[in-house]
Amino acid sequence: MNRIANVAVIGNYLPRKCGIATFTTDLVTALSDSKKDLNCWAVAMNDRPDGYRYPSKVKFEINQNSIEEYRLACEFLNINQVDIVSIQHEYGIFGGEAGCYILQLIRQLRVPVVTTLHTVLQNPEPPQKKVLKELADLSAKVVVMSEQAVDFLNTIYDIPRGKIALIHHGIPDMPFVDSGFYKDQFGVEGKKVVLTFGLLSQNKGIEYMIRALPTIVEKHPEVVYIVLGATHPHIKRSQGEEYRQSLVQLAANLGVEDNVLFFNRFVEIQELCEFLGAADIYVTPYLNEAQIVSGTLAYAMGSGKATVSTPYWYAREMLDNNRGVLCSFKDSEGLSLAINDLLHNEIKRNAVRKNAYTFSRNATWSQAACHYLTLFSEVKAQRASQPVFCCNSPFFILKKSTLPELNLNHLLTLTDDTGILQHATFTIPERNHGYCLDDNSRGLIFAILAQNLLPDTKTAFDLQKRYLSFISHAYNSQTTSFRNFMSYNRVWLEEQGSQDSQGRALWALGVCCALSRESGCVALATNLFHKGLTVASRLHHPRAISFSLVGIHAYLARFSGDTKVKRVRLELAQKLSSAFSNSTSENWPWFNDILTYANAKIPQALLLCGQWLAKDDMLQKGFSLLDWLIQLQVTDNRFSPIGNDGWYLKDRSVPKFDQQPIEAQAMIETCLLASKMTENSNYYEMAKKTFNWFLGENDLGMPLYDYSNGGCRDGLTPDGPNLNEGAESTLAWLLSLVSMHNYESEIKNLHFTSSFGLEQQDEAVSGNLLSEVETTSSGA
């Protein structure tokens, strides 16, 4: 599903003092508050080696000038499997020329990126333009906060409009109140307050506002101008308080020092809202037009302040339609005229206030968070439905090369004295979820099919005994069925397992009866197999029936005269065939309206039954279903299995992700069986195509097979392989590999004749080749 559960935001963060830090902190807080089950956290950019004392929401820090730390941050984000990375971009907060180091991080991310641009230049330097264009190319969406920015990105940077999202700058949700309510807190009761806030620097143009004060004070002596904010840290490091002192001296020279109050500090959001509440007029006298967004202006409008501003880009757009008053740059006279007019005309001032406040209601942080989450969900859905294929895997792709050798390292890591553990966190066994019959059945099948391929048969026999012992312990004589889930402390969690687990147990026991070279295993498996036949008759789901039939055919390869098993086979075969009696649609020949997992196992069972029961209708149905599944799951000549994001519902689109190894395993086994039965090389080519899905020839061009330990990653997500390597996926890989090895061995030894096609031999199991039953004189 496209649920957003884990979001990382990269940017400056409080207590670092700057506008980006405030924005990032507010965004993380708003996103966290909007969804209680959302894990939203920050990666903070540091402009000094010792960093800052961040709150717990910051989980990783990057020294902006250390390119190696960007690489480490990328690795950290990938390991934490976030759904979305949200980047707050300003050239100056990232290292390298024009802030290019951030690209190093994004290029290797396995998750979609949404970038919010806090600066969009009309006349960028070539490095700046190059960085922003690549940043946009690497991002799934680019967020801006004004229409002017949308136009610049499209016309100057050639970024398609469809890739750009407009989300207004978030603001606190403040009430529309009379300014007198807060004035006593700052000693300005009875005064008319004009306010400017933000980090001080020369480009703010505050000197022009101070020069306007004598004219304003002449008509409105009750006016006080509050300049709120610390000097920008970077300015302070290089120039100290020179700019602030020049403003203080200017006010004194003009005789308005009593009408100017400097609050030289960086204020938290609560106090800032109180300052805004006390203001009658807000002013931004910035010196040039090249400002695409202003958080201070957004905050002032959101608190319902009548605003006077110079016409920089953001102000022109935001203060349109009588939401504020504009005057020229560096125009003290224009500022004084505009402010005097608003102070004199209360009706006009209140109209401007109301227009600004009403316009800003859609930009409160709670609303902004909803807009971001909607965008994140759209990006995730787009990533799932439109994968970008780039087969750049450095790993082995099966063409005419040698198959990889069996590597049991990870399998042995997952296996303990009890059996095989279900899950892993990355490559580490996860004990909290314990064991299950399904995986130990898969393990038993693999240990038997691999016994001729391993140099050390003792390992194969030890694994067979361990997994078979688990299956034996799973049998519940009271319910005459198998239990599935067991906790790590060896306590059964249910009295009877799912239908799939029953069928898979019979499959494993049948293979053990047919192929194990350990006599004790054969004896126990035969006993358990007969006990399990009772539950086989109670199965009704076609997939569980199919698992059972594959095992029954394996058993009959060794004990072909077992009348009872033959009767059960006929009963289950008829039940499986009848499930398709109402499936008459050529476009949807399936037994119900949804395709889920291990789908190819059903045509495999039909092919086996059709072959050995001489049922042409079953053969025909098996081949037609297999061909249909192949058609559905091949895209651009590569295997693209049905994803588990809702599965594939009839008359709906095929979900691309998450793709599961179990589906590839089932397709390989059935295609190899079909190839042996028909000598049609197309089925073998399909098996190879599907096998290569594990090795990187897939929708993302990324291998699922872990060559370092022989394990397999848990699926292919829109963001790349799921980095966990659990039992199901690892055994799906190993079973696929051993099936390919056994099939290749037949070709090399010129034994391409189907194990099922020789009249003089007893029935043999196949499919995965789940049945490389040797066709020797002692075949039965």
Side-chain angles (χ1 to χ4, degrees):
M1 307 298 287
N2 297 318
R3 187 177 72 88
I4 302 297
N6 193 3
V7 174
V9 184
I10 301 176
N12 297 350
Y13 207 89
L14 297 177
R16 181 172 174 180
K17 297 176 181 179
C18 71
I20 300 294
T22 300
F23 185 95
T24 305
T25 304
D26 288 344
L27 178 60
V28 169
T29 301
L31 288 170
S32 300
D33 290 344
S34 67
K35 281 185 67 179
K36 296 306 179 185
D37 60 344
L38 175 65
N39 179 26
C40 185
W41 48 280
V43 174
M45 303 303 304
N46 286 332
D47 61 345
R48 62 189 196 191
D50 55 335
Y52 298 85
R53 296 186 65 180
Y54 292 114
S56 60
K57 279 292 185 181
V58 173
K59 294 188 178 180
F60 198 88
E61 301 173 40
I62 301 174
N63 180 333
Q64 67 180 51
N65 295 315
S66 171
I67 194 168
E68 173 63 14
E69 293 193 16
Y70 290 82
R71 185 192 67 77
L72 294 174
C74 175
E75 184 178 351
F76 184 82
L77 289 163
N78 286 334
I79 288 174
N80 279 274
Q81 299 180 321
V82 296
D83 295 307
I84 296 286
V85 170
S86 171
I87 293 177
Q88 306 308 310
H89 181 265
E90 176 72 66
Y91 289 105
I93 72 172
F94 302 113
E97 185 179 21
C100 65
Y101 284 1
I102 188 62
L103 301 177
Q104 179 75 12
L105 186 156
I106 304 174
R107 289 177 188 134
Q108 301 302 319
L109 273 179
R110 297 174 54 247
V111 299
V113 172
V114 173
T115 298
T116 300
L117 299 177
H118 293 259
T119 293
V120 181
L121 300 174
Q122 185 179 31
N123 299 299
E125 297 293 330
Q128 292 172 324
K129 186 173 183 179
K130 180 180 179 182
V131 166
L132 194 144
K133 283 174 68 69
E134 183 174 352
L135 179 63
D137 186 56
L138 293 170
S139 301
K141 285 283 186 179
V142 174
V143 176
V144 292
M145 292 172 261
S146 66
E147 293 287 357
Q148 182 74 74
V150 175
D151 183 65
F152 281 177
L153 290 180
N154 182 243
T155 59
I156 299 171
Y157 298 87
D158 300 318
I159 298 170
R161 287 187 179 269
K163 198 168 192 176
I164 307 167
L166 173 60
I167 300 178
H168 283 294
H169 193 298
I171 58 173
D173 190 359
M174 293 178 282
F176 189 77
V177 298
D178 185 86
S179 60
F181 185 79
Y182 291 102
K183 287 182 178 179
D184 61 327
Q185 295 180 219
F186 308 109
V188 290
E189 58 271 24
K191 302 288 187 179
K192 292 294 184 183
V193 176
V194 179
L195 174 68
T196 294
F197 81 86
L199 295 173
L200 257 62
S201 59
Q202 286 87 339
N203 65 337
K204 297 298 176 71
I206 293 172
E207 62 271 25
Y208 290 94
M209 178 57 211
I210 292 177
R211 291 191 181 107
L213 273 177
T215 304
I216 297 170
V217 171
E218 181 180 351
K219 291 188 176 182
H220 300 279
E222 75 279 12
V223 165
V224 62
Y225 178 38
I226 294 178
V227 181
L228 172 64
T231 300
H232 195 289
H234 292 176
I235 299 294
K236 189 172 182 178
R237 279 198 292 268
S238 61
Q239 302 174 22
E241 294 286 2
E242 179 181 349
Y243 180 57
R244 182 184 301 276
Q245 293 302 321
S246 72
L247 296 176
V248 172
Q249 187 61 49
L250 177 62
N253 292 342
L254 294 173
V256 291
E257 65 268 30
D258 292 335
N259 299 90
V260 182
L261 297 178
F262 289 93
F263 288 84
N264 184 10
R265 64 177 186 270
F266 187 88
V267 295
E268 300 295 335
I269 185 64
Q270 182 176 348
E271 188 179 11
L272 172 59
C273 291
E274 292 169 353
F275 270 104
L276 283 167
D280 296 286
I281 294 175
Y282 184 75
V283 60
T284 55
Y286 301 162
L287 297 183
N288 61 72
E289 66 174 359
Q291 184 154 339
I292 207 68
V293 66
S294 168
T296 62
L297 177 57
Y299 276 39
M301 293 179 67
S303 61
K305 298 297 110 177
T307 301
V308 176
S309 177
T310 52
Y312 53 92
W313 296 326
Y314 189 67
R316 281 207 308 260
E317 184 175 320
M318 295 295 287
L319 300 181
D320 195 17
N321 295 323
N322 199 35
R323 295 190 292 265
V325 179
L326 297 176
C327 55
S328 302
F329 293 107
K330 302 180 180 180
D331 183 4
S332 297
E333 182 180 355
L335 287 170
S336 64
L337 286 172
I339 292 172
N340 276 332
D341 181 50
L342 289 174
L343 290 173
H344 175 73
N345 192 336
E346 187 174 356
I347 294 176
K348 179 178 180 180
R349 186 170 78 248
N350 285 333
V352 171
R353 290 182 61 208
K354 186 174 180 180
N355 291 339
Y357 187 81
T358 302
F359 176 80
S360 302
R361 289 306 84 204
N362 194 43
T364 61
W365 272 118
S366 60
Q367 291 294 313
C370 289
H371 297 323
Y372 271 98
L373 283 174
T374 299
L375 182 63
F376 293 164
S377 295
E378 291 172 358
V379 165
K380 189 176 180 183
Q382 183 181 34
R383 182 71 163 255
S385 63
Q386 298 178 1
V388 178
F389 175 69
C390 53
C391 190
N392 56 6
S393 168
F395 297 90
F396 168 89
I397 299 295
L398 178 62
K399 299 297 183 185
K400 296 182 180 180
S401 308
T402 304
L403 285 162
E405 294 299 318
L406 289 176
N407 180 349
L408 304 191
N409 287 345
H410 189 55
L411 180 71
L412 296 175
T413 297
L414 292 173
T415 302
D416 63 14
D417 291 342
T418 301
I420 188 167
L421 289 156
Q422 286 189 76
H423 298 299
T425 302
F426 305 111
T427 59
I428 311 304
E430 172 57 71
R431 299 182 180 185
N432 289 333
H433 292 93
Y435 314 84
C436 69
L437 175 65
D438 285 317
D439 291 333
N440 281 275
S441 297
R442 294 183 180 101
L444 178 59
I445 297 169
F446 169 74
I448 292 165
L449 295 182
Q451 61 191 352
N452 293 330
L453 299 173
L454 295 173
D456 178 15
T457 56
K458 182 180 183 302
T459 299
F461 290 165
D462 287 347
L463 290 174
Q464 288 179 35
K465 294 174 182 177
R466 196 160 303 173
Y467 300 141
L468 181 57
S469 174
F470 187 95
I471 297 172
S472 175
H473 188 45
Y475 184 74
N476 186 344
S477 59
Q478 294 181 348
T479 62
T480 62
S481 63
F482 295 94
R483 293 167 287 210
N484 192 10
F485 295 110
M486 175 192 277
S487 69
Y488 184 68
N489 59 357
R490 300 187 182 184
V491 174
W492 288 108
L493 303 178
E494 58 190 358
E495 292 303 310
Q496 180 173 319
S498 66
Q499 288 203 27
D500 274 8
S501 67
Q502 310 298 320
R504 196 172 275 113
L506 286 171
W507 172 11
L509 293 169
V511 170
C512 188
C513 293
L515 295 174
S516 178
R517 297 191 346 235
E518 216 291 327
S519 58
C521 288
V522 174
L524 178 57
T526 302
N527 180 270
L528 287 170
F529 182 81
H530 280 91
K531 289 181 178 180
L533 285 178
T534 304
V535 75
S537 299
R538 302 198 297 265
L539 300 176
H540 57 81
H541 194 283
R543 183 173 52 246
I545 291 172
S546 299
F547 291 160
S548 300
L549 283 167
V550 173
I552 286 172
H553 280 93
Y555 173 85
L556 289 173
R558 187 159 193 165
F559 302 107
S560 59
D562 194 319
T563 305
K564 180 181 179 181
V565 176
K566 286 185 176 182
R567 282 199 299 267
V568 174
R569 175 178 66 177
L570 180 60
E571 174 191 345
L572 292 179
Q574 291 172 339
K575 192 182 291 188
L576 179 61
S577 181
S578 65
F580 291 89
S581 59
N582 296 322
S583 303
T584 58
S585 171
E586 291 185 4
N587 295 329
W588 190 268
W590 205 238
F591 66 90
N592 63 6
D593 290 343
I594 184 171
L595 275 171
T596 56
Y597 61 91
N599 298 300
K601 217 66 195 170
I602 291 175
Q604 181 187 5
L606 285 168
L607 291 177
L608 289 171
C609 292
Q611 177 90 341
W612 293 109
L613 295 174
K615 298 286 187 180
D616 289 342
D617 59 329
M618 292 186 185
L619 280 173
Q620 182 179 353
K621 176 58 71 174
F623 281 118
S624 65
L625 286 176
L626 176 59
D627 293 342
W628 180 63
L629 289 172
I630 291 172
Q631 181 184 8
L632 279 177
Q633 298 180 106
V634 173
T635 301
D636 296 333
N637 201 37
R638 63 182 181 272
F639 182 59
S640 181
I642 291 165
N644 69 359
D645 185 5
W647 302 114
Y648 179 28
L649 296 170
K650 183 180 179 181
D651 298 328
R652 302 283 183 88
S653 58
V654 180
K656 279 291 185 184
F657 299 101
D658 294 353
Q659 299 175 13
Q660 302 297 303
I662 190 176
E663 192 62 30
Q665 173 204 345
M667 180 63 77
I668 290 169
E669 293 168 353
T670 306
C671 284
L672 291 177
L673 170 60
S675 178
K676 293 184 71 176
M677 292 176 67
T678 64
E679 299 189 26
N680 183 341
S681 62
N682 289 334
Y683 288 119
Y684 176 55
E685 291 303 316
M686 183 61 200
K688 290 198 296 183
K689 192 192 309 290
T690 306
F691 184 80
N692 285 339
W693 176 86
F694 286 102
L695 303 173
E697 197 168 279
N698 51 50
D699 286 332
L700 296 182
M702 304 176 77
L704 284 89
Y705 169 52
D706 187 342
Y707 72 98
S708 68
N709 63 13
C712 179
R713 297 173 179 97
D714 276 354
L716 192 66
T717 79
D719 306 319
N722 181 327
L723 297 181
N724 298 327
E725 298 180 15
E728 178 183 296
S729 56
T730 293
L731 284 164
W733 155 254
L734 289 171
L735 285 165
S736 300
L737 178 58
V738 77
S739 295
M740 295 296 293
H741 267 295
N742 286 332
Y743 190 92
E744 296 275 294
S745 178
E746 279 201 11
I747 295 175
K748 291 177 183 177
N749 293 307
L750 303 178
H751 292 312
F752 190 69
T753 308
S754 171
S755 299
F756 300 100
L758 299 178
E759 293 181 2
Q760 70 271 26
Q761 291 200 351
D762 293 309
E763 301 177 37
V765 71
S766 180
N768 9 26
L769 283 172
L770 209 70
S771 69
E772 279 304 317
V773 175
E774 297 177 357
T775 55
T776 62
S777 57
S778 60

